Amino acid sequence: MDQADTTSLDQSTDWNQKSSSQPRKLTQIETDKLSRDNVLVSEFKQNKLELEAKKNWDLFYKRNSTNFFKDRHWISREFAELVDAPHQNKDSPGRNLVLLEVGCGVGNLVFPLMKANPSLYVYACDFSPRAVQYLKDNRDYSSDRLTAFQCDLTSDDLTSVIPAQTIDLVTMVFVLSAIHPDNMTYAVRNIHSALKVGGIVLFRDYGVNDHAMLRFSKGHKLADCFYVRQDGTRAFFFSLEFLGSIFTEAGFEVISNEYVFRETVNKKEGICVPRVFVQAKFIKNG
């Protein structure tokens, strides 16, 4: 399964969205498929994937440039805080709200959001240096409102670029799933250090039993709920319990945490498939 296979599903038309605290119930055929997929990728190859993670994402953007992902205009619908926020920070009169987008890619979320809310100042970072350069080359990039930089959340200190405890809102949209589960808590703690007290993380990513998870063929499984695509990029599929534990261990409190179910029509392939995402909000309370 390659990157296009996963993301082509995300580019389709969604119908019948609903939320739930319980995971999607699998059919017997789906259950049998997952139970048969019990051979993991070798430790040698897994270590190689970890070492080459940045290179693999950089190659992804080299192949696809800025043309792969659609602009994420839906983000302001799902997280009203991003557009309904006051023009100035109530705790610091005269200071605009400050957003950190982690995993910014080439700007498919940040540029529509900046147009929707002219009051935001944005820090945007990505694992891929090439993606960050594409974002900076965008004609809408303005250093007066946006600072973009390359960052590995699992090793680089965000506060070396961003003053500690100054961020009001963080968006994490389909980014934590690309990180090895062993490194997720560190990455979230990294974000915690940049957030001000009362700051909120707005989160959306792949959920367990998503159709994309079931499409992986044998030979792509790294661990439970963790898979590698043909291009070497990886994808983790979250349960609510696992996601909540990562954030609480990193010092956050849960505001909301739920599955989002969607019936997605892929017109190109002529199929209707069940998508599962996790959508959550976490707050730093000290």
Side-chain angles (χ1 to χ4, degrees):
M1 181 178 193
D2 61 17
Q3 181 77 26
D5 286 332
T6 304
T7 315
S8 64
L9 297 172
D10 300 330
Q11 309 282 30
S12 306
T13 303
D14 297 312
W15 303 93
N16 303 323
Q17 175 173 316
K18 62 180 181 179
S19 58
S20 174
S21 61
Q22 299 298 317
R24 182 176 76 87
K25 186 176 180 180
L26 297 175
T27 66
Q28 189 60 52
I29 292 175
E30 291 171 331
T31 299
D32 291 344
K33 181 183 185 300
L34 288 180
S35 65
R36 290 193 300 269
D37 189 9
N38 53 16
V39 178
L40 303 183
V41 171
S42 70
E43 183 179 357
F44 173 81
K45 184 174 180 180
Q46 293 214 35
N47 289 336
K48 189 171 185 287
L49 288 168
E50 181 67 17
L51 290 171
E52 296 180 350
K54 180 165 68 173
K55 183 184 77 172
N56 289 332
W57 276 109
D58 221 40
L59 288 172
F60 169 81
Y61 285 106
K62 182 179 181 180
R63 288 191 300 271
N64 295 288
S65 182
T66 61
N67 304 315
F68 194 80
F69 297 107
K70 291 183 178 180
D71 283 350
R72 289 168 169 166
H73 295 283
W74 53 265
I75 191 72
S76 57
R77 181 183 70 242
E78 298 295 336
F79 296 114
E81 295 91 340
L82 293 167
V83 289
D84 292 344
H87 287 283
Q88 293 185 344
N89 187 292
K90 63 181 180 181
D91 298 326
S92 302
R95 184 177 78 85
N96 286 349
L97 284 170
V98 182
L99 170 74
L100 167 62
E101 186 192 2
V102 293
C104 62
V106 299
N108 296 101
L109 185 152
V110 67
F111 289 124
L113 186 57
M114 289 172 66
K115 291 178 180 178
N117 188 346
S119 72
L120 287 178
Y121 184 88
V122 181
Y123 289 95
C125 66
D126 198 274
F127 197 18
S128 165
R130 192 179 302 271
V132 173
Q133 190 58 52
Y134 281 138
L135 186 148
K136 289 182 174 180
D137 291 341
N138 190 297
R139 63 183 180 182
D140 291 328
Y141 184 86
S142 169
S143 58
D144 293 335
R145 294 192 58 204
L146 173 59
T147 297
F149 59 102
Q150 191 276 332
C151 179
D152 179 353
L153 288 175
T154 69
S155 60
D156 299 331
D157 184 357
L158 281 170
T159 60
S160 67
V161 177
I162 304 169
Q165 302 189 59
T166 57
I167 299 296
D168 298 294
L169 296 169
V170 176
T171 50
M172 295 187 73
V173 179
F174 300 104
V175 57
L176 196 61
S177 56
I179 294 174
H180 193 288
D182 291 347
N183 298 327
M184 288 180 182
T185 299
Y186 179 90
V188 175
R189 283 179 179 151
N190 202 358
I191 291 165
H192 188 274
S193 67
L195 264 176
K196 59 179 275 188
V197 174
I200 295 174
V201 176
L202 307 173
F203 184 95
R204 187 178 177 96
D205 218 317
Y206 299 112
V208 67
N209 296 344
D210 180 38
H211 181 73
M213 174 177 162
L214 296 164
R215 290 184 68 177
F216 283 102
S217 57
K218 287 186 177 181
H220 292 261
K221 188 173 183 180
L222 303 171
D224 287 344
C225 303
F226 193 38
Y227 296 84
V228 60
R229 304 181 181 96
Q230 294 284 5
D231 64 2
T233 62
R234 297 168 296 179
F236 187 86
F237 296 82
F238 292 93
S239 67
L240 301 186
E241 295 78 13
F242 183 79
L243 178 63
S245 70
I246 291 292
F247 274 84
T248 53
E249 186 177 345
F252 286 92
E253 294 183 21
V254 180
I255 299 175
S256 62
N257 187 15
E258 61 186 8
Y259 293 108
V260 174
F261 299 152
R262 285 186 169 184
E263 293 293 325
T264 297
V265 177
N266 188 310
K267 295 180 180 180
K268 182 178 179 180
E269 298 185 19
I271 57 174
C272 180
V273 297
R275 300 308 313 271
V276 182
F277 306 111
V278 285
Q279 188 159 303
K281 300 177 187 179
F282 303 98
I283 188 169
K284 176 179 177 177
N285 277 333

